[in-house]
């Protein structure tokens, strides 16, 4: 069963429990989400001027487009205003700012009709974020920057909430990826050769959920949900923002959503910042997660 709630008035503790059970929560625009959305629009519109960001792919060569993204994305990700706005969003959502950590927001682009599907506009195939060294308690928050349609959004493949999927996560190590893979992103043209965790058997895409919040609207889901970028045939580039959170209670207990099939090494927890003061997690916790070996703890793990 897949449960999607809209503007549910519950505590963060209750919401996290629901998220670890596979539920998804959708929210209407608020002052802080609207501000983040507007900030992204301003940066994108300046970067792609004189073209509108949703249409720019029809006026620029792939090389010109990649050059723009190469600056736009890191400028957005690391802008101090983004951190402030995320703190405001989490405060609006009744998160405990002392115990909730987040990482910097990503700005995603999904171009239409396979104009650009690699490198800086990598089209995400069905995956769980937990195949990429996240803790099982990671939660993902997702916002469209402009209006989206069912032909350029993201999709959840809910069959796999409680079914394992054969995958290559045992070859992925976040620390290695940071050293080698991410830096290569802007060098990728039409073909993406970077090592990614991926499904190693045909994926049963249905049943599928596609959520279409209005710009400034948002949804949150467990990083263990299998999800993908839908093939964009809308005629418009989709721009979206996502960021991740973890709560100290679950990090301490190494709990969260069930792990059905992830066996990656390394950890992303060094990226998270405390919402209250943007400080990092304590070093001993980072070391403990970095040395965690999931391969022996997953009963259904299908080796490759
Ligand atoms: Fe993802």
């Amino acid at each position: 069963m897949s449960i999607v709630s809209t503007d549910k008035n519950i505590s963060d503790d209750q919401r996290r429990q629901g998220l670890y059970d596979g539920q998804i929560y959708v929210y209407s625009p608020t002052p802080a989400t609207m501000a983040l959305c507007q900030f992204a629009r301003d940066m994108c519109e300046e970067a792609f001027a004189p073209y509108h960001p949703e249409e720019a792919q029809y006026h620029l060569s792939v090389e010109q487009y990649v050059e723009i993204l190469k600056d736009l994305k890191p400028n957005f990700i690391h802008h101090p205003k983004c951190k402030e706005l995320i703190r405001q969003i989490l405060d609006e959502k009744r998160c405990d700012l002392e115990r909730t950590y987040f990482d910097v927001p990503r700005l995603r682009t999904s171009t239409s009709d396979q104009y650009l599907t690699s490198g800086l506009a990598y089209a995400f195939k069905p995956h769980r974020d937990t195949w990429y060294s996240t803790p099982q308690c990671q939660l993902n928050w997702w916002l469209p920057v402009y209006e989206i349609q069912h032909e350029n959004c993201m999709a959840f493949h809910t069959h796999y909430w409680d079914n394992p999927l054969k995958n290559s996560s045992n070859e992925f190590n976040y620390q290695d990826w940071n050293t080698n893979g991410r830096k290569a992103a802007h060098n990728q043209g039409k073909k993406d050769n970077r090592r990614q965790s991926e499904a190693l058997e045909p994926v049963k895409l249905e049943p599928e959920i596609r959520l279409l919040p209005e710009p400034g609207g948002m949804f949150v889901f467990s990083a263990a949900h299998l999800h993908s970028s839908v093939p964009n045939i809308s005629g418009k580039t989709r721009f979206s923002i996502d960021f991740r959170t973890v709560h100290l209670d679950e990090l301490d207990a190494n709990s969260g959503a069930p792990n059905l099939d992830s066996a990656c090494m390394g950890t992303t927890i060094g990226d998270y910042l405390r919402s209250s003061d943007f400080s990092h997690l304590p070093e001993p916790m980072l070391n403990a997660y970095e040395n965690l070996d999931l391969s022996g703890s997953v009963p259904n793990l299908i080796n490759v």
Side-chain angles (χ1 to χ4, degrees):
M1 181 170 58
S2 306
I3 301 174
V4 179
S5 304
T6 53
D7 290 326
K8 188 105 169 151
N9 186 20
I10 53 175
S11 70
D12 180 52
D13 286 347
Q14 292 170 312
R15 180 175 53 222
R16 294 201 317 283
Q17 197 47 60
L19 289 161
Y20 302 141
D21 289 339
Q23 298 189 38
I24 300 169
Y25 295 86
V26 187
Y27 293 101
S28 300
T30 61
T33 58
M34 289 299 288
L36 183 62
C37 187
Q38 188 58 50
F39 185 60
R41 286 184 179 197
D42 291 345
M43 284 188 81
C44 293
E45 286 165 24
E46 189 184 334
F48 285 106
Y51 308 113
H52 189 276
E54 291 178 297
E55 312 282 347
Q57 67 171 90
Y58 299 109
H59 303 280
L60 300 169
S61 69
V62 168
E63 291 72 24
Q64 289 172 314
Y65 201 90
V66 167
E67 278 304 306
I68 291 172
L69 290 186
K70 207 161 80 178
D71 290 332
L72 171 62
K73 290 198 168 186
N75 287 347
F76 178 81
I77 287 171
H78 299 294
H79 200 292
K81 189 169 174 178
C82 287
K83 294 192 190 78
E84 297 288 346
L85 288 171
I86 287 176
R87 172 160 57 195
Q88 286 176 36
I89 291 171
L90 296 175
D91 198 30
E92 284 180 343
K93 291 290 167 282
R94 299 165 61 187
C95 297
D96 179 346
L97 300 185
E98 293 298 325
R99 300 185 69 74
T100 304
Y101 287 67
F102 68 92
D103 73 354
V104 289
R106 305 295 194 270
L107 179 66
R108 312 281 186 191
T109 42
S110 167
T111 57
S112 191
D113 301 295
Q114 300 199 312
Y115 167 76
L116 179 61
T117 55
S118 61
L120 285 163
Y122 183 75
F124 287 96
K125 291 180 273 190
H127 68 281
R128 308 184 200 272
D129 280 23
T130 47
W131 290 350
Y132 293 90
S133 312
T134 77
Q136 288 298 126
C137 62
Q138 182 180 286
L139 305 173
N140 293 9
W141 304 73
W142 196 97
L143 306 80
V145 173
Y146 297 101
E147 198 171 318
I148 52 170
Q149 319 166 25
H150 69 281
E151 292 173 329
N152 68 358
C153 59
M154 59 163 285
F156 295 96
H157 310 290
T158 54
H159 170 75
Y160 294 99
W161 175 256
D162 40 23
N163 288 286
L165 176 61
K166 189 174 177 180
N167 67 82
S168 61
S169 61
N170 64 339
E171 295 175 36
F172 187 84
N173 181 315
Y174 183 67
Q175 273 59 40
D176 291 349
W177 167 257
N178 257 348
T179 310
N180 306 315
R182 198 193 291 275
K183 288 183 187 129
H186 67 268
N187 292 326
Q188 299 293 329
K190 288 280 185 188
K191 192 168 184 303
D192 201 326
N193 297 315
R194 293 175 297 154
R195 192 185 209 50
Q196 299 273 353
S197 287
E198 59 184 352
L200 294 175
E201 62 180 320
V203 179
K204 191 170 170 267
L205 295 174
E206 301 282 350
E208 186 178 272
I209 295 176
R210 299 185 184 194
L211 296 169
L212 306 176
E214 59 192 302
M218 180 172 70
F219 53 83
V220 56
F221 59 97
S222 164
H225 256 300
L226 194 80
H227 58 283
S228 64
S229 302
V230 307
N232 186 347
I233 50 168
S234 69
K236 288 184 172 181
T237 303
R238 182 252 288 165
F239 288 78
S240 59
I241 303 165
D242 54 88
F243 60 92
R244 290 144 286 277
T245 59
V246 289
H247 193 282
L248 207 48
D249 288 1
E250 283 85 52
L251 271 185
D252 272 335
N254 190 18
S255 61
N259 180 9
L260 301 184
D261 56 19
S262 176
C264 42
M265 296 291 291
T267 182
T268 60
I269 75 165
D271 294 348
Y272 302 128
L273 306 171
R274 185 159 59 187
S275 309
S276 58
D277 60 2
F278 307 147
S279 62
H280 286 274
L281 283 159
E283 193 78 16
M285 181 178 271
L286 181 60
N287 293 337
Y289 269 87
E290 205 167 319
N291 295 318
L292 208 62
D293 183 355
L294 296 175
S295 56
S297 65
V298 186
N300 290 314
L301 187 71
I302 308 134
N303 215 342
V304 289

